[in-house]
Amino acid sequence: MKIICIGRNYLAHVKELDNALPTEPMFFMKPDTALLPAGEPFPYPDFSKEIHYETELVLSVCKTGNSIDMEAASEYYDAITVGIDFTARDLQSQCKAKGHPWEIAKSFDYSAPVGEFKKTSELRNPDDIAFGMKLNGEWVQQGHSRDMIFDFNTIVSYVSRFVTLNPGDYIFTGTPQGVGEVHVGDKLQLFLEDEPVFEFEIK
Ligand code: ZN
């Protein structure tokens, strides 16, 4: 399986990182080794001093497809959850400054913890999905899918022009504003429509 991540998909987050507004979805990928097994802590890596959380809605792909039409795109995912796109912000800034790819900042081991999936057909409010993350019991990020610059179907259609989607693939759909640092000992709880879907600690 592969993990596709959309960058810069919420206006307020684009502004908080001083990035340019995208005219097309922007994506990068993480390998399957970025997943964090349930019940395991996230091991703070020794190569970074600035690990940021980015709380994101994550789609689960259910059907093989490439060059998918916008109108058919919703048939290609059937479940959703919340995940963290962990980012070594210090390394990412260095990569950006040098014009280098940023895999070392984004695709490292355990950089994509993902919660328990819920069928999209069982969502209470599929047109505006609420999600968020509590850090040590306090809300630090709360988002709504309606605030996305590119919606799920646009993302699926766009990505599949370049990369064939397969069942079991995950698509991270971008973070709202409020990204920040984690530290050893922190406890993260992820919520989908106010229901907890995953929790883990930083070790
Ligand atoms: Zn992200």
Side-chain angles (χ1 to χ4, degrees):
M1 63 86 69
K2 56 189 174 289
I3 303 165
I4 292 155
C5 303
I6 305 296
R8 303 174 192 171
N9 202 24
Y10 288 80
L11 188 58
H13 172 65
V14 173
K15 287 184 176 164
E16 79 181 344
L17 291 190
D18 233 352
N19 285 318
L21 247 191
T23 52
E24 288 181 311
M26 190 203 88
F27 73 91
F28 54 93
M29 297 203 277
K30 299 187 188 234
D32 58 2
T33 42
L35 296 171
L36 178 70
E40 295 289 319
F42 169 83
Y44 199 106
D46 60 8
F47 49 74
S48 172
K49 291 187 164 50
E50 193 187 9
I51 298 289
H52 273 198
Y53 54 81
E54 296 186 355
T55 309
E56 313 195 3
L57 288 170
V58 182
L59 302 176
S60 176
V61 175
C62 61
K63 195 170 152 181
T64 296
N66 58 56
S67 297
I68 298 164
D69 287 337
M70 277 279 283
E71 297 70 40
S74 65
E75 296 166 20
Y76 289 80
Y77 56 90
D78 66 351
I80 190 161
T81 190
V82 178
I84 299 288
D85 165 20
F86 275 124
T87 303
R89 198 69 76 198
D90 46 356
L91 298 188
Q92 188 190 32
S93 300
Q94 293 165 21
C95 291
K96 280 172 158 178
K98 293 178 188 161
H100 287 177
W102 63 24
E103 268 79 358
I104 59 167
K106 282 285 196 182
S107 310
F108 52 89
D109 287 353
Y110 313 118
S111 61
V114 166
E116 198 175 317
F117 281 88
K118 184 175 190 173
K119 290 284 174 195
T120 50
S121 57
E122 291 165 10
L123 287 167
R124 283 203 307 269
N125 194 357
D127 295 327
D128 193 18
I129 305 159
F131 65 103
M133 193 266 279
K134 280 184 184 174
L135 182 65
N136 302 321
E138 305 279 343
W139 286 111
V140 289
Q141 284 197 284
Q142 286 181 282
H144 287 87
S145 60
R146 200 171 275 168
D147 295 330
M148 293 189 297
I149 298 170
F150 302 106
D151 64 15
F152 295 153
N153 293 345
T154 304
I155 291 167
V156 166
S157 177
Y158 181 82
V159 170
S160 71
R161 283 170 55 195
F162 305 93
V163 179
T164 295
L165 298 178
N166 283 318
D169 292 347
Y170 293 161
I171 304 176
F172 278 63
T173 59
T175 183
Q177 75 275 25
V179 300
E181 278 189 64
V182 291
H183 300 97
V184 171
D186 283 348
K187 185 178 170 194
L188 284 72
Q189 296 168 286
L190 312 183
F191 294 84
L192 177 65
E193 294 194 317
D194 293 331
E195 285 171 30
V197 290
F198 201 53
E199 65 174 67
F200 62 97
E201 283 185 17
I202 311 293
K203 193 176 118 186

